Amino acid sequence: MRPIGVGRRNWLFAGSDSGGETLARAMTLIETAKMSGLDPQAWLADVLDRIHDHKINRLDELLPWNWAPTA
């Protein structure tokens, strides 16, 4: 929880309300990946590699709690 507490002060000027909301979503996914025992950087790199041709009705497969690394 400390990174979130420290981040609040650092992200005070995220640019706009929508920028702050986007940052909050990203941090939620990263912290969820950590809590799921995943390496957030590996998870995010894999998702960014796969998302461009992933079916829209199967996006839930890319979420941290459903993630299985690809070979």
Side-chain angles (χ1 to χ4, degrees):
M1 294 303 272
R2 180 161 166 69
I4 293 173
V6 171
R8 267 194 305 251
R9 183 181 56 225
N10 295 340
W11 304 320
L12 181 60
F13 303 102
S16 65
D17 288 344
S18 64
E21 290 172 7
T22 300
L23 186 58
R25 287 184 191 107
M27 289 304 299
T28 298
L29 289 171
I30 290 169
E31 291 300 319
T32 301
K34 288 180 186 178
M35 289 172 36
S36 297
L38 302 174
D39 174 13
Q41 187 173 2
W43 167 74
L44 190 56
D46 182 64
V47 167
L48 292 175
D49 282 343
R50 294 174 32 191
I51 199 165
H52 69 281
D53 63 351
H54 205 78
K55 301 255 187 251
I56 190 78
N57 61 342
R58 294 176 50 200
L59 286 178
D60 62 316
E61 295 172 1
L62 300 177
L63 296 172
W65 50 87
N66 293 331
W67 185 70
T70 57

